[in-house]
Amino acid sequence: CASSPGSLPPLAPPGSERELQADYAVRLFMDSCVSHVTKPGDLVRWIQQQGLRTLEPERAAQLFAGTSGQAWWADRPTGQFLLIVVPINPSLNQCTVWAQRADAERLTQHLQRLLFLTERPGLSLTTVSEQPVERPDGTYREVVYYLKKDGAELGWVFVAMTSASEQVQTQGRLMVAPGKGRSVLAPGSAGTLVPAEPH
């Protein structure tokens, strides 16, 4: 485990459009993915209540490339955000939020703070890895965290993939999925683990 929440400096109020976008992306991630992590049906109802717009079929086909899943736009005055849900089984999802534009450092700091605040006796948080990742549109920074109850075989894998470059397709991606370490449960599997890879 890394620092405790008490040792993490408080985040200053957003001072730019990119910081506002990071704040909204993390709030969307917490309200959608994290709040409904074991309640897929409730997540669908929440999405309907928020009035999110279904991703166009052609874009969805490119995004999922033959795998199953659903995606919705959250168009906000601050920018465009995408909520992506891939079902693993009837009670579990892999859930990701994309921020087309957002302050990369602030996104990661927000996620760290929120995860460290969940730590308590019997629940441990590990920073599994932090590394650069090359993608066709540029270099991203990927940080993987693993949150697990003591004695449980599987926990929750959180991934923050961010880029400070304005040239990349998506400056921020936040994902949560059931898994272990750097691996997550494969969609439709009865326990197969695959490398964590945000859509």
Side-chain angles (χ1 to χ4, degrees), residues 53-92:
R53 187 166 52 89
T54 306
L55 184 67
E56 304 81 5
E58 317 78 57
R59 296 284 301 278
Q62 290 174 344
L63 180 65
F64 294 110
T67 60
S68 62
Q70 285 182 283
W72 296 265
W73 284 114
D75 292 312
R76 295 298 177 260
T78 47
Q80 282 203 316
F81 305 86
L82 198 59
L83 173 61
I84 302 163
V85 178
V86 176
I88 292 170
N89 62 39
S91 61
L92 293 171

PDB file of all heavy atoms in Angstrom, residues 53-92:
ATOM      1  N   ARG A  53     -26.953   9.193 -23.898  1.00  0.00           N
ATOM      2  CA  ARG A  53     -27.294   8.887 -25.289  1.00  0.00           C
ATOM      3  C   ARG A  53     -26.499   7.672 -25.769  1.00  0.00           C
ATOM      4  O   ARG A  53     -25.277   7.629 -25.629  1.00  0.00           O
ATOM      5  CB  ARG A  53     -26.946  10.124 -26.134  1.00  0.00           C
ATOM      6  CG  ARG A  53     -27.367  10.073 -27.561  1.00  0.00           C
ATOM      7  CD  ARG A  53     -27.275  11.466 -28.178  1.00  0.00           C
ATOM      8  NE  ARG A  53     -25.987  12.113 -27.981  1.00  0.00           N
ATOM      9  CZ  ARG A  53     -24.950  12.002 -28.798  1.00  0.00           C
ATOM     10  NH1 ARG A  53     -25.026  11.232 -29.863  1.00  0.00           N
ATOM     11  NH2 ARG A  53     -23.845  12.670 -28.565  1.00  0.00           N
ATOM     12  N   THR A  54     -27.188   6.676 -26.329  1.00  0.00           N
ATOM     13  CA  THR A  54     -26.525   5.458 -26.816  1.00  0.00           C
ATOM     14  C   THR A  54     -25.535   5.793 -27.929  1.00  0.00           C
ATOM     15  O   THR A  54     -25.838   6.597 -28.810  1.00  0.00           O
ATOM     16  CB  THR A  54     -27.569   4.455 -27.350  1.00  0.00           C
ATOM     17  OG1 THR A  54     -28.540   4.231 -26.339  1.00  0.00           O
ATOM     18  CG2 THR A  54     -26.919   3.127 -27.707  1.00  0.00           C
ATOM     19  N   LEU A  55     -24.375   5.179 -27.860  1.00  0.00           N
ATOM     20  CA  LEU A  55     -23.360   5.375 -28.899  1.00  0.00           C
ATOM     21  C   LEU A  55     -23.880   4.867 -30.239  1.00  0.00           C
ATOM     22  O   LEU A  55     -24.549   3.830 -30.309  1.00  0.00           O
ATOM     23  CB  LEU A  55     -22.090   4.605 -28.508  1.00  0.00           C
ATOM     24  CG  LEU A  55     -20.869   4.759 -29.410  1.00  0.00           C
ATOM     25  CD1 LEU A  55     -20.323   6.183 -29.357  1.00  0.00           C
ATOM     26  CD2 LEU A  55     -19.781   3.768 -29.011  1.00  0.00           C
ATOM     27  N   GLU A  56     -23.565   5.607 -31.301  1.00  0.00           N
ATOM     28  CA  GLU A  56     -24.012   5.238 -32.644  1.00  0.00           C
ATOM     29  C   GLU A  56     -23.551   3.813 -32.995  1.00  0.00           C
ATOM     30  O   GLU A  56     -22.438   3.420 -32.650  1.00  0.00           O
ATOM     31  CB  GLU A  56     -23.427   6.215 -33.684  1.00  0.00           C
ATOM     32  CG  GLU A  56     -23.748   7.675 -33.427  1.00  0.00           C
ATOM     33  CD  GLU A  56     -22.834   8.329 -32.393  1.00  0.00           C
ATOM     34  OE1 GLU A  56     -21.877   7.684 -31.936  1.00  0.00           O
ATOM     35  OE2 GLU A  56     -23.106   9.485 -32.018  1.00  0.00           O
ATOM     36  N   PRO A  57     -24.412   3.019 -33.688  1.00  0.00           N
ATOM     37  CA  PRO A  57     -24.083   1.607 -33.970  1.00  0.00           C
ATOM     38  C   PRO A  57     -22.732   1.416 -34.667  1.00  0.00           C
ATOM     39  O   PRO A  57     -21.991   0.486 -34.348  1.00  0.00           O
ATOM     40  CB  PRO A  57     -25.237   1.151 -34.871  1.00  0.00           C
ATOM     41  CG  PRO A  57     -26.375   2.065 -34.531  1.00  0.00           C
ATOM     42  CD  PRO A  57     -25.760   3.377 -34.152  1.00  0.00           C
ATOM     43  N   GLU A  58     -22.396   2.316 -35.623  1.00  0.00           N
ATOM     44  CA  GLU A  58     -21.119   2.144 -36.339  1.00  0.00           C
ATOM     45  C   GLU A  58     -19.946   2.330 -35.376  1.00  0.00           C
ATOM     46  O   GLU A  58     -18.962   1.583 -35.412  1.00  0.00           O
ATOM     47  CB  GLU A  58     -20.972   3.162 -37.481  1.00  0.00           C
ATOM     48  CG  GLU A  58     -22.201   3.403 -38.326  1.00  0.00           C
ATOM     49  CD  GLU A  58     -23.236   4.308 -37.652  1.00  0.00           C
ATOM     50  OE1 GLU A  58     -22.901   5.447 -37.278  1.00  0.00           O
ATOM     51  OE2 GLU A  58     -24.382   3.846 -37.487  1.00  0.00           O
ATOM     52  N   ARG A  59     -20.046   3.362 -34.521  1.00  0.00           N
ATOM     53  CA  ARG A  59     -18.984   3.606 -33.543  1.00  0.00           C
ATOM     54  C   ARG A  59     -18.884   2.453 -32.547  1.00  0.00           C
ATOM     55  O   ARG A  59     -17.799   2.034 -32.164  1.00  0.00           O
ATOM     56  CB  ARG A  59     -19.247   4.918 -32.776  1.00  0.00           C
ATOM     57  CG  ARG A  59     -19.214   6.182 -33.608  1.00  0.00           C
ATOM     58  CD  ARG A  59     -17.790   6.591 -33.951  1.00  0.00           C
ATOM     59  NE  ARG A  59     -16.940   6.832 -32.794  1.00  0.00           N
ATOM     60  CZ  ARG A  59     -16.906   7.958 -32.098  1.00  0.00           C
ATOM     61  NH1 ARG A  59     -17.680   8.971 -32.432  1.00  0.00           N
ATOM     62  NH2 ARG A  59     -16.069   8.085 -31.078  1.00  0.00           N
ATOM     63  N   ALA A  60     -20.048   1.942 -32.127  1.00  0.00           N
ATOM     64  CA  ALA A  60     -20.068   0.825 -31.173  1.00  0.00           C
ATOM     65  C   ALA A  60     -19.411  -0.408 -31.781  1.00  0.00           C
ATOM     66  O   ALA A  60     -18.649  -1.120 -31.128  1.00  0.00           O
ATOM     67  CB  ALA A  60     -21.495   0.515 -30.747  1.00  0.00           C
ATOM     68  N   ALA A  61     -19.682  -0.653 -33.072  1.00  0.00           N
ATOM     69  CA  ALA A  61     -19.095  -1.814 -33.750  1.00  0.00           C
ATOM     70  C   ALA A  61     -17.572  -1.707 -33.768  1.00  0.00           C
ATOM     71  O   ALA A  61     -16.862  -2.696 -33.540  1.00  0.00           O
ATOM     72  CB  ALA A  61     -19.636  -1.922 -35.169  1.00  0.00           C
ATOM     73  N   GLN A  62     -17.059  -0.494 -34.011  1.00  0.00           N
ATOM     74  CA  GLN A  62     -15.601  -0.286 -33.987  1.00  0.00           C
ATOM     75  C   GLN A  62     -15.047  -0.480 -32.581  1.00  0.00           C
ATOM     76  O   GLN A  62     -14.004  -1.103 -32.381  1.00  0.00           O
ATOM     77  CB  GLN A  62     -15.265   1.133 -34.450  1.00  0.00           C
ATOM     78  CG  GLN A  62     -15.514   1.388 -35.914  1.00  0.00           C
ATOM     79  CD  GLN A  62     -15.300   2.864 -36.262  1.00  0.00           C
ATOM     80  OE1 GLN A  62     -15.248   3.730 -35.397  1.00  0.00           O
ATOM     81  NE2 GLN A  62     -15.168   3.145 -37.542  1.00  0.00           N
ATOM     82  N   LEU A  63     -15.762   0.060 -31.604  1.00  0.00           N
ATOM     83  CA  LEU A  63     -15.294   0.033 -30.223  1.00  0.00           C
ATOM     84  C   LEU A  63     -15.203  -1.396 -29.681  1.00  0.00           C
ATOM     85  O   LEU A  63     -14.212  -1.776 -29.073  1.00  0.00           O
ATOM     86  CB  LEU A  63     -16.242   0.868 -29.350  1.00  0.00           C
ATOM     87  CG  LEU A  63     -15.922   0.956 -27.867  1.00  0.00           C
ATOM     88  CD1 LEU A  63     -14.607   1.681 -27.628  1.00  0.00           C
ATOM     89  CD2 LEU A  63     -17.052   1.676 -27.129  1.00  0.00           C
ATOM     90  N   PHE A  64     -16.252  -2.176 -29.935  1.00  0.00           N
ATOM     91  CA  PHE A  64     -16.299  -3.515 -29.341  1.00  0.00           C
ATOM     92  C   PHE A  64     -15.678  -4.587 -30.218  1.00  0.00           C
ATOM     93  O   PHE A  64     -15.349  -5.662 -29.729  1.00  0.00           O
ATOM     94  CB  PHE A  64     -17.741  -3.871 -28.965  1.00  0.00           C
ATOM     95  CG  PHE A  64     -18.284  -2.995 -27.871  1.00  0.00           C
ATOM     96  CD1 PHE A  64     -19.267  -2.066 -28.134  1.00  0.00           C
ATOM     97  CD2 PHE A  64     -17.778  -3.072 -26.588  1.00  0.00           C
ATOM     98  CE1 PHE A  64     -19.751  -1.238 -27.139  1.00  0.00           C
ATOM     99  CE2 PHE A  64     -18.249  -2.249 -25.586  1.00  0.00           C
ATOM    100  CZ  PHE A  64     -19.242  -1.330 -25.857  1.00  0.00           C
ATOM    101  N   ALA A  65     -15.515  -4.303 -31.492  1.00  0.00           N
ATOM    102  CA  ALA A  65     -14.812  -5.205 -32.418  1.00  0.00           C
ATOM    103  C   ALA A  65     -15.204  -6.664 -32.214  1.00  0.00           C
ATOM    104  O   ALA A  65     -14.374  -7.538 -31.995  1.00  0.00           O
ATOM    105  CB  ALA A  65     -13.304  -5.047 -32.257  1.00  0.00           C
ATOM    106  N   GLY A  66     -16.522  -6.919 -32.256  1.00  0.00           N
ATOM    107  CA  GLY A  66     -16.982  -8.304 -32.184  1.00  0.00           C
ATOM    108  C   GLY A  66     -17.308  -8.796 -30.785  1.00  0.00           C
ATOM    109  O   GLY A  66     -17.927  -9.849 -30.640  1.00  0.00           O
ATOM    110  N   THR A  67     -16.893  -8.070 -29.747  1.00  0.00           N
ATOM    111  CA  THR A  67     -17.254  -8.494 -28.384  1.00  0.00           C
ATOM    112  C   THR A  67     -18.563  -7.817 -27.988  1.00  0.00           C
ATOM    113  O   THR A  67     -19.020  -6.886 -28.645  1.00  0.00           O
ATOM    114  CB  THR A  67     -16.156  -8.108 -27.368  1.00  0.00           C
ATOM    115  OG1 THR A  67     -16.009  -6.682 -27.397  1.00  0.00           O
ATOM    116  CG2 THR A  67     -14.840  -8.772 -27.692  1.00  0.00           C
ATOM    117  N   SER A  68     -19.179  -8.305 -26.921  1.00  0.00           N
ATOM    118  CA  SER A  68     -20.455  -7.716 -26.510  1.00  0.00           C
ATOM    119  C   SER A  68     -20.192  -6.536 -25.575  1.00  0.00           C
ATOM    120  O   SER A  68     -19.172  -6.483 -24.895  1.00  0.00           O
ATOM    121  CB  SER A  68     -21.314  -8.760 -25.800  1.00  0.00           C
ATOM    122  OG  SER A  68     -20.654  -9.192 -24.627  1.00  0.00           O
ATOM    123  N   GLY A  69     -21.121  -5.611 -25.558  1.00  0.00           N
ATOM    124  CA  GLY A  69     -21.000  -4.456 -24.684  1.00  0.00           C
ATOM    125  C   GLY A  69     -21.923  -3.353 -25.129  1.00  0.00           C
ATOM    126  O   GLY A  69     -22.537  -3.430 -26.201  1.00  0.00           O
ATOM    127  N   GLN A  70     -22.038  -2.332 -24.293  1.00  0.00           N
ATOM    128  CA  GLN A  70     -22.846  -1.169 -24.621  1.00  0.00           C
ATOM    129  C   GLN A  70     -22.078   0.085 -24.236  1.00  0.00           C
ATOM    130  O   GLN A  70     -21.261   0.061 -23.306  1.00  0.00           O
ATOM    131  CB  GLN A  70     -24.170  -1.195 -23.851  1.00  0.00           C
ATOM    132  CG  GLN A  70     -25.178  -2.199 -24.392  1.00  0.00           C
ATOM    133  CD  GLN A  70     -26.479  -2.117 -23.604  1.00  0.00           C
ATOM    134  OE1 GLN A  70     -26.563  -2.615 -22.493  1.00  0.00           O
ATOM    135  NE2 GLN A  70     -27.487  -1.477 -24.194  1.00  0.00           N
ATOM    136  N   ALA A  71     -22.377   1.177 -24.938  1.00  0.00           N
ATOM    137  CA  ALA A  71     -21.701   2.435 -24.633  1.00  0.00           C
ATOM    138  C   ALA A  71     -22.676   3.592 -24.787  1.00  0.00           C
ATOM    139  O   ALA A  71     -23.580   3.546 -25.629  1.00  0.00           O
ATOM    140  CB  ALA A  71     -20.489   2.628 -25.546  1.00  0.00           C
ATOM    141  N   TRP A  72     -22.480   4.608 -23.959  1.00  0.00           N
ATOM    142  CA  TRP A  72     -23.353   5.780 -23.944  1.00  0.00           C
ATOM    143  C   TRP A  72     -22.517   7.049 -23.887  1.00  0.00           C
ATOM    144  O   TRP A  72     -21.499   7.109 -23.196  1.00  0.00           O
ATOM    145  CB  TRP A  72     -24.270   5.772 -22.718  1.00  0.00           C
ATOM    146  CG  TRP A  72     -25.233   4.637 -22.660  1.00  0.00           C
ATOM    147  CD1 TRP A  72     -26.531   4.633 -23.080  1.00  0.00           C
ATOM    148  CD2 TRP A  72     -25.001   3.331 -22.119  1.00  0.00           C
ATOM    149  NE1 TRP A  72     -27.114   3.411 -22.854  1.00  0.00           N
ATOM    150  CE2 TRP A  72     -26.199   2.591 -22.254  1.00  0.00           C
ATOM    151  CE3 TRP A  72     -23.887   2.706 -21.529  1.00  0.00           C
ATOM    152  CZ2 TRP A  72     -26.314   1.275 -21.840  1.00  0.00           C
ATOM    153  CZ3 TRP A  72     -23.996   1.396 -21.113  1.00  0.00           C
ATOM    154  CH2 TRP A  72     -25.198   0.690 -21.270  1.00  0.00           C
ATOM    155  N   TRP A  73     -22.983   8.083 -24.594  1.00  0.00           N
ATOM    156  CA  TRP A  73     -22.372   9.399 -24.511  1.00  0.00           C
ATOM    157  C   TRP A  73     -22.941  10.147 -23.319  1.00  0.00           C
ATOM    158  O   TRP A  73     -24.142  10.119 -23.075  1.00  0.00           O
ATOM    159  CB  TRP A  73     -22.708  10.234 -25.752  1.00  0.00           C
ATOM    160  CG  TRP A  73     -21.970   9.880 -26.991  1.00  0.00           C
ATOM    161  CD1 TRP A  73     -22.495   9.355 -28.136  1.00  0.00           C
ATOM    162  CD2 TRP A  73     -20.570  10.053 -27.240  1.00  0.00           C
ATOM    163  NE1 TRP A  73     -21.509   9.180 -29.074  1.00  0.00           N
ATOM    164  CE2 TRP A  73     -20.319   9.602 -28.553  1.00  0.00           C
ATOM    165  CE3 TRP A  73     -19.502  10.532 -26.466  1.00  0.00           C
ATOM    166  CZ2 TRP A  73     -19.047   9.631 -29.121  1.00  0.00           C
ATOM    167  CZ3 TRP A  73     -18.241  10.558 -27.043  1.00  0.00           C
ATOM    168  CH2 TRP A  73     -18.024  10.115 -28.339  1.00  0.00           C
ATOM    169  N   ALA A  74     -22.076  10.853 -22.600  1.00  0.00           N
ATOM    170  CA  ALA A  74     -22.508  11.861 -21.635  1.00  0.00           C
ATOM    171  C   ALA A  74     -22.014  13.192 -22.201  1.00  0.00           C
ATOM    172  O   ALA A  74     -20.840  13.542 -22.055  1.00  0.00           O
ATOM    173  CB  ALA A  74     -21.907  11.593 -20.260  1.00  0.00           C
ATOM    174  N   ASP A  75     -22.887  13.885 -22.927  1.00  0.00           N
ATOM    175  CA  ASP A  75     -22.522  15.196 -23.491  1.00  0.00           C
ATOM    176  C   ASP A  75     -22.765  16.249 -22.424  1.00  0.00           C
ATOM    177  O   ASP A  75     -23.894  16.412 -21.962  1.00  0.00           O
ATOM    178  CB  ASP A  75     -23.381  15.513 -24.723  1.00  0.00           C
ATOM    179  CG  ASP A  75     -23.070  14.587 -25.878  1.00  0.00           C
ATOM    180  OD1 ASP A  75     -21.878  14.415 -26.177  1.00  0.00           O
ATOM    181  OD2 ASP A  75     -24.005  14.031 -26.464  1.00  0.00           O
ATOM    182  N   ARG A  76     -21.734  16.927 -22.022  1.00  0.00           N
ATOM    183  CA  ARG A  76     -21.849  17.944 -20.978  1.00  0.00           C
ATOM    184  C   ARG A  76     -21.249  19.252 -21.471  1.00  0.00           C
ATOM    185  O   ARG A  76     -20.421  19.246 -22.393  1.00  0.00           O
ATOM    186  CB  ARG A  76     -21.131  17.468 -19.709  1.00  0.00           C
ATOM    187  CG  ARG A  76     -21.747  16.227 -19.056  1.00  0.00           C
ATOM    188  CD  ARG A  76     -23.175  16.505 -18.594  1.00  0.00           C
ATOM    189  NE  ARG A  76     -23.838  15.332 -18.026  1.00  0.00           N
ATOM    190  CZ  ARG A  76     -24.706  14.568 -18.660  1.00  0.00           C
ATOM    191  NH1 ARG A  76     -24.984  14.817 -19.928  1.00  0.00           N
ATOM    192  NH2 ARG A  76     -25.299  13.558 -18.068  1.00  0.00           N
ATOM    193  N   PRO A  77     -21.616  20.378 -20.860  1.00  0.00           N
ATOM    194  CA  PRO A  77     -21.040  21.653 -21.290  1.00  0.00           C
ATOM    195  C   PRO A  77     -19.507  21.636 -21.270  1.00  0.00           C
ATOM    196  O   PRO A  77     -18.860  22.298 -22.088  1.00  0.00           O
ATOM    197  CB  PRO A  77     -21.592  22.654 -20.279  1.00  0.00           C
ATOM    198  CG  PRO A  77     -22.862  22.039 -19.788  1.00  0.00           C
ATOM    199  CD  PRO A  77     -22.625  20.567 -19.798  1.00  0.00           C
ATOM    200  N   THR A  78     -18.933  20.831 -20.365  1.00  0.00           N
ATOM    201  CA  THR A  78     -17.467  20.785 -20.265  1.00  0.00           C
ATOM    202  C   THR A  78     -16.823  19.920 -21.339  1.00  0.00           C
ATOM    203  O   THR A  78     -15.622  20.008 -21.565  1.00  0.00           O
ATOM    204  CB  THR A  78     -17.031  20.234 -18.889  1.00  0.00           C
ATOM    205  OG1 THR A  78     -17.788  19.062 -18.615  1.00  0.00           O
ATOM    206  CG2 THR A  78     -17.236  21.253 -17.802  1.00  0.00           C
ATOM    207  N   GLY A  79     -17.594  19.028 -21.992  1.00  0.00           N
ATOM    208  CA  GLY A  79     -16.978  18.177 -23.000  1.00  0.00           C
ATOM    209  C   GLY A  79     -17.748  16.888 -23.220  1.00  0.00           C
ATOM    210  O   GLY A  79     -18.876  16.729 -22.738  1.00  0.00           O
ATOM    211  N   GLN A  80     -17.120  15.952 -23.931  1.00  0.00           N
ATOM    212  CA  GLN A  80     -17.753  14.675 -24.243  1.00  0.00           C
ATOM    213  C   GLN A  80     -17.102  13.559 -23.439  1.00  0.00           C
ATOM    214  O   GLN A  80     -15.876  13.462 -23.354  1.00  0.00           O
ATOM    215  CB  GLN A  80     -17.618  14.371 -25.731  1.00  0.00           C
ATOM    216  CG  GLN A  80     -18.605  15.140 -26.590  1.00  0.00           C
ATOM    217  CD  GLN A  80     -18.834  14.444 -27.919  1.00  0.00           C
ATOM    218  OE1 GLN A  80     -17.892  13.994 -28.557  1.00  0.00           O
ATOM    219  NE2 GLN A  80     -20.077  14.338 -28.342  1.00  0.00           N
ATOM    220  N   PHE A  81     -17.964  12.701 -22.891  1.00  0.00           N
ATOM    221  CA  PHE A  81     -17.514  11.579 -22.074  1.00  0.00           C
ATOM    222  C   PHE A  81     -18.281  10.345 -22.526  1.00  0.00           C
ATOM    223  O   PHE A  81     -19.408  10.437 -23.006  1.00  0.00           O
ATOM    224  CB  PHE A  81     -17.789  11.861 -20.589  1.00  0.00           C
ATOM    225  CG  PHE A  81     -17.174  13.148 -20.128  1.00  0.00           C
ATOM    226  CD1 PHE A  81     -17.852  14.348 -20.276  1.00  0.00           C
ATOM    227  CD2 PHE A  81     -15.904  13.168 -19.570  1.00  0.00           C
ATOM    228  CE1 PHE A  81     -17.284  15.551 -19.885  1.00  0.00           C
ATOM    229  CE2 PHE A  81     -15.321  14.368 -19.174  1.00  0.00           C
ATOM    230  CZ  PHE A  81     -16.016  15.559 -19.334  1.00  0.00           C
ATOM    231  N   LEU A  82     -17.642   9.202 -22.382  1.00  0.00           N
ATOM    232  CA  LEU A  82     -18.237   7.954 -22.839  1.00  0.00           C
ATOM    233  C   LEU A  82     -18.230   6.961 -21.688  1.00  0.00           C
ATOM    234  O   LEU A  82     -17.222   6.823 -20.983  1.00  0.00           O
ATOM    235  CB  LEU A  82     -17.408   7.411 -24.013  1.00  0.00           C
ATOM    236  CG  LEU A  82     -18.031   6.360 -24.920  1.00  0.00           C
ATOM    237  CD1 LEU A  82     -19.317   6.876 -25.567  1.00  0.00           C
ATOM    238  CD2 LEU A  82     -17.036   5.972 -26.019  1.00  0.00           C
ATOM    239  N   LEU A  83     -19.366   6.292 -21.490  1.00  0.00           N
ATOM    240  CA  LEU A  83     -19.490   5.246 -20.479  1.00  0.00           C
ATOM    241  C   LEU A  83     -19.611   3.921 -21.218  1.00  0.00           C
ATOM    242  O   LEU A  83     -20.496   3.747 -22.054  1.00  0.00           O
ATOM    243  CB  LEU A  83     -20.729   5.503 -19.615  1.00  0.00           C
ATOM    244  CG  LEU A  83     -21.124   4.417 -18.612  1.00  0.00           C
ATOM    245  CD1 LEU A  83     -20.023   4.186 -17.583  1.00  0.00           C
ATOM    246  CD2 LEU A  83     -22.429   4.786 -17.918  1.00  0.00           C
ATOM    247  N   ILE A  84     -18.687   2.990 -20.939  1.00  0.00           N
ATOM    248  CA  ILE A  84     -18.602   1.728 -21.669  1.00  0.00           C
ATOM    249  C   ILE A  84     -18.780   0.571 -20.688  1.00  0.00           C
ATOM    250  O   ILE A  84     -18.060   0.483 -19.680  1.00  0.00           O
ATOM    251  CB  ILE A  84     -17.231   1.599 -22.365  1.00  0.00           C
ATOM    252  CG1 ILE A  84     -17.021   2.779 -23.316  1.00  0.00           C
ATOM    253  CG2 ILE A  84     -17.116   0.279 -23.111  1.00  0.00           C
ATOM    254  CD1 ILE A  84     -15.585   2.972 -23.737  1.00  0.00           C
ATOM    255  N   VAL A  85     -19.745  -0.299 -20.976  1.00  0.00           N
ATOM    256  CA  VAL A  85     -20.045  -1.420 -20.078  1.00  0.00           C
ATOM    257  C   VAL A  85     -19.938  -2.727 -20.856  1.00  0.00           C
ATOM    258  O   VAL A  85     -20.593  -2.902 -21.885  1.00  0.00           O
ATOM    259  CB  VAL A  85     -21.451  -1.277 -19.464  1.00  0.00           C
ATOM    260  CG1 VAL A  85     -21.769  -2.474 -18.573  1.00  0.00           C
ATOM    261  CG2 VAL A  85     -21.557   0.020 -18.658  1.00  0.00           C
ATOM    262  N   VAL A  86     -19.093  -3.628 -20.356  1.00  0.00           N
ATOM    263  CA  VAL A  86     -18.943  -4.957 -20.952  1.00  0.00           C
ATOM    264  C   VAL A  86     -19.395  -5.979 -19.910  1.00  0.00           C
ATOM    265  O   VAL A  86     -18.780  -6.097 -18.841  1.00  0.00           O
ATOM    266  CB  VAL A  86     -17.471  -5.234 -21.348  1.00  0.00           C
ATOM    267  CG1 VAL A  86     -17.319  -6.644 -21.883  1.00  0.00           C
ATOM    268  CG2 VAL A  86     -17.000  -4.209 -22.374  1.00  0.00           C
ATOM    269  N   PRO A  87     -20.482  -6.712 -20.168  1.00  0.00           N
ATOM    270  CA  PRO A  87     -20.950  -7.688 -19.182  1.00  0.00           C
ATOM    271  C   PRO A  87     -20.000  -8.877 -19.058  1.00  0.00           C
ATOM    272  O   PRO A  87     -19.489  -9.376 -20.069  1.00  0.00           O
ATOM    273  CB  PRO A  87     -22.313  -8.124 -19.723  1.00  0.00           C
ATOM    274  CG  PRO A  87     -22.284  -7.802 -21.178  1.00  0.00           C
ATOM    275  CD  PRO A  87     -21.327  -6.674 -21.365  1.00  0.00           C
ATOM    276  N   ILE A  88     -19.749  -9.279 -17.821  1.00  0.00           N
ATOM    277  CA  ILE A  88     -18.921 -10.469 -17.568  1.00  0.00           C
ATOM    278  C   ILE A  88     -19.834 -11.651 -17.266  1.00  0.00           C
ATOM    279  O   ILE A  88     -19.690 -12.729 -17.811  1.00  0.00           O
ATOM    280  CB  ILE A  88     -17.941 -10.209 -16.415  1.00  0.00           C
ATOM    281  CG1 ILE A  88     -16.905  -9.171 -16.869  1.00  0.00           C
ATOM    282  CG2 ILE A  88     -17.249 -11.497 -15.957  1.00  0.00           C
ATOM    283  CD1 ILE A  88     -16.020  -8.644 -15.782  1.00  0.00           C
ATOM    284  N   ASN A  89     -20.803 -11.423 -16.389  1.00  0.00           N
ATOM    285  CA  ASN A  89     -21.847 -12.400 -16.092  1.00  0.00           C
ATOM    286  C   ASN A  89     -23.056 -11.611 -15.582  1.00  0.00           C
ATOM    287  O   ASN A  89     -22.979 -10.383 -15.509  1.00  0.00           O
ATOM    288  CB  ASN A  89     -21.341 -13.478 -15.111  1.00  0.00           C
ATOM    289  CG  ASN A  89     -20.944 -12.889 -13.764  1.00  0.00           C
ATOM    290  OD1 ASN A  89     -21.591 -11.983 -13.248  1.00  0.00           O
ATOM    291  ND2 ASN A  89     -19.864 -13.405 -13.192  1.00  0.00           N
ATOM    292  N   PRO A  90     -24.164 -12.256 -15.219  1.00  0.00           N
ATOM    293  CA  PRO A  90     -25.353 -11.485 -14.833  1.00  0.00           C
ATOM    294  C   PRO A  90     -25.153 -10.533 -13.651  1.00  0.00           C
ATOM    295  O   PRO A  90     -25.929  -9.589 -13.490  1.00  0.00           O
ATOM    296  CB  PRO A  90     -26.380 -12.574 -14.502  1.00  0.00           C
ATOM    297  CG  PRO A  90     -25.956 -13.748 -15.326  1.00  0.00           C
ATOM    298  CD  PRO A  90     -24.461 -13.697 -15.337  1.00  0.00           C
ATOM    299  N   SER A  91     -24.129 -10.747 -12.845  1.00  0.00           N
ATOM    300  CA  SER A  91     -23.979  -9.883 -11.671  1.00  0.00           C
ATOM    301  C   SER A  91     -22.702  -9.034 -11.682  1.00  0.00           C
ATOM    302  O   SER A  91     -22.443  -8.301 -10.728  1.00  0.00           O
ATOM    303  CB  SER A  91     -24.001 -10.729 -10.386  1.00  0.00           C
ATOM    304  OG  SER A  91     -22.936 -11.653 -10.395  1.00  0.00           O
ATOM    305  N   LEU A  92     -21.913  -9.119 -12.751  1.00  0.00           N
ATOM    306  CA  LEU A  92     -20.654  -8.372 -12.789  1.00  0.00           C
ATOM    307  C   LEU A  92     -20.412  -7.762 -14.167  1.00  0.00           C
ATOM    308  O   LEU A  92     -20.711  -8.375 -15.188  1.00  0.00           O
ATOM    309  CB  LEU A  92     -19.466  -9.300 -12.457  1.00  0.00           C
ATOM    310  CG  LEU A  92     -19.376  -9.851 -11.030  1.00  0.00           C
ATOM    311  CD1 LEU A  92     -18.285 -10.907 -10.963  1.00  0.00           C
ATOM    312  CD2 LEU A  92     -19.104  -8.742 -10.027  1.00  0.00           C
TER     313      LEU A  92
END
